[in-house]
Structure formats: C-alpha cells, structure tokens
Amino acid sequence: MRALGERLMDILFPPVCPWCGELLRQGERHIKCEAALPRVENPICTLCGRGTDRCTCGARKSELRRVVSPFYYEGGVEDALKRFKYAGASYAARPLAKEMARTVTERLRGVPISAVVPVPMERAKQRRRGYNQAALLAKGLAKELGLPCEERLLRLTGDKQEQHTLDRAARAANVFGVYSVPHPERAAGRTILLVDDISTTGATLRECAKMLSLAGAAAVYGCTAALVVAK
C-alpha cells in the first residue's frame, strides 16, 4: 500500500529536480546538478559565513553572532531560489532545508539552539505568493534538527521596499524599526536560529537579531539557504 501511495503521489505531483526544474523519474537524482552546486567551502568567515576569500563583511560585529549557509547565490542554487520565491516551486524547500540542517550541524556544533525563527514577510506579499519562503525553510530546518519552529516570534510592523532593489546603505535604512517581538517573554534567555532564504548584506538578519536581543534572547545566530557575494 505504501508503494502504491508513493506511485500515486508521483503521478499527481511528479518529482522535480530542485536545481534545474526538470521532471524526474521515481528515485532519480540529477547528479550533475548536485555536483555543480556552489557550496561555501572552508576556510569560512566566522561572522558572515562566506569563504574567507569571498568575505566582504569586514568582521562587522552586531547582535547576530554568526551566519551559516550551505551555498552561494549562484548557478543552480540561484535558479532554484528564484523558482521558489517567484514561481510557486515550494518543493524546493525540502532539499534546501536538508542542506541547511547539515550546515548548522557542522558549523554550529555545540551551540545550544532552542528555537528556529523565520524572518517574517509582509501579509500582502505572502497572500500573492501563497507562502513565506523563509517560514517554509525554517519549518523544514526545525524538523531536521528536532527543534521547535517559532513562526510568530518576530512580527513585521512597518512597510519596506524589496531589499534586492536597494544598495547596501539603503538596505539597512529600509529595515530599521520594521520588526518587533510582540511577546518578549518567548524570546528571553533563548538561543535563537534566525532563518531567511538569501543574505546579501545581512541587514535584515542583523535588524531582526537586534530586536530579538532587545527582547532578551541570550544569543542569535543566522542560517540562510544562500549568500550573495558582491561583484
């Protein structure tokens, strides 16, 4: 019965390669796609999460202790995230979350994470898209790590432009004061893993980490599916 159910699911929802978007046969993987993924390799900056040869953060300190990510925002990962964000490819959340979980396990070993928290999205945008991609990643990551996902711990309380349309200075100003923690007692004393899909300058993650810290969080770390590298 289980095999029959899996075949039925494959008929109704054919498996798709998350990296190139092509249909797959049952049990098939695109090894070439996986081999070409732009992975973040050691040695790695202990703040921004990029390889030290691609780090541009200048070791800037903030309430965000560290960011980790399995990939750079390039090649098949960039294609997958664009389909995930703009073309309804929610199926990409699962493989991305698995890769993120592996990265957290390797690079944040020993960190006593007590909750996974996604960066919130504007309600109007979420209605148009059908989901908050950061929340899907956070739920998948939390499941892989065996941790609770606190989807409502952070709240978006103001309006902001699309971050990808702005330069570095404008990104920080764009997110200033737009996040809040409505129930600070739920953050107090906890070590939180903050999740987003992509980090470019880190402005969104730093602002969210600041608000969580002000609410009493013991420490805030970040995890994204991909990191943008300045050209």
Side-chain angles (χ1 to χ4, degrees):
M1 289 297 292
R2 181 177 178 181
L4 178 61
E6 289 177 352
R7 286 198 295 272
L8 181 60
M9 289 298 291
D10 283 345
I11 293 170
L12 295 175
F13 304 100
V16 177
C17 174
W19 316 116
C20 71
E22 292 184 7
L23 292 176
L24 301 173
R25 293 186 294 273
Q26 185 177 6
E28 182 185 14
R29 291 164 52 195
H30 279 179
I31 304 300
K32 286 186 178 180
C33 288
E34 294 176 9
L37 294 175
R39 296 185 179 276
V40 178
E41 303 287 357
N42 289 321
I44 296 170
C45 172
T46 56
L47 288 182
C48 75
R50 295 168 179 82
T52 53
D53 61 330
R54 308 183 78 177
C55 168
T56 58
C57 75
R60 174 174 21 182
K61 293 186 177 181
S62 71
E63 288 83 356
L64 186 65
R65 295 281 184 93
R66 183 179 181 184
V67 178
V68 297
S69 178
F71 301 119
Y72 292 114
Y73 186 61
E74 300 168 353
V77 172
E78 180 177 355
D79 294 340
L81 282 166
K82 284 179 176 177
R83 286 192 298 272
F84 183 32
K85 293 181 71 168
Y86 306 119
S90 58
Y91 59 81
R94 185 177 181 185
L96 287 168
K98 284 181 175 293
E99 292 284 354
M100 293 164 72
R102 187 177 297 116
T103 301
V104 169
T105 301
E106 291 174 356
R107 298 177 190 163
L108 296 182
R109 185 178 288 111
V111 175
I113 300 167
S114 51
V116 179
V117 176
V119 170
M121 175 187 282
E122 297 93 328
R123 290 183 181 179
K125 185 189 293 184
Q126 186 166 336
R127 283 195 296 270
R128 291 195 303 270
R129 189 167 294 172
Y131 53 82
N132 173 1
Q133 71 277 358
L136 288 186
L137 291 172
K139 289 175 183 176
L141 177 56
K143 183 177 180 181
E144 291 289 330
L145 297 175
L147 294 169
C149 180
E150 299 278 0
E151 191 174 352
R152 300 181 187 279
L153 189 57
L154 271 171
R155 179 180 295 173
L156 187 66
T157 57
D159 296 326
K160 64 184 184 70
Q161 294 177 249
E162 292 276 6
Q163 285 286 83
H164 68 82
T165 66
L166 305 173
D167 61 24
R168 177 179 287 271
R171 285 170 184 263
N174 189 45
V175 297
F176 180 76
V178 300
Y179 298 104
S180 68
V181 182
H183 299 286
E185 70 278 4
R186 289 167 52 191
R190 303 177 82 180
T191 297
I192 291 170
L193 184 62
L194 185 62
V195 174
D196 206 355
D197 55 345
I198 304 165
S199 176
T200 301
T201 65
T204 297
L205 291 174
R206 287 195 298 273
E207 183 66 19
C208 289
K210 180 180 76 175
M211 299 312 297
L212 288 165
S213 295
L214 288 172
V220 184
Y221 294 80
C223 181
T224 66
L227 298 165
V228 174
V229 178
K231 303 296 184 181

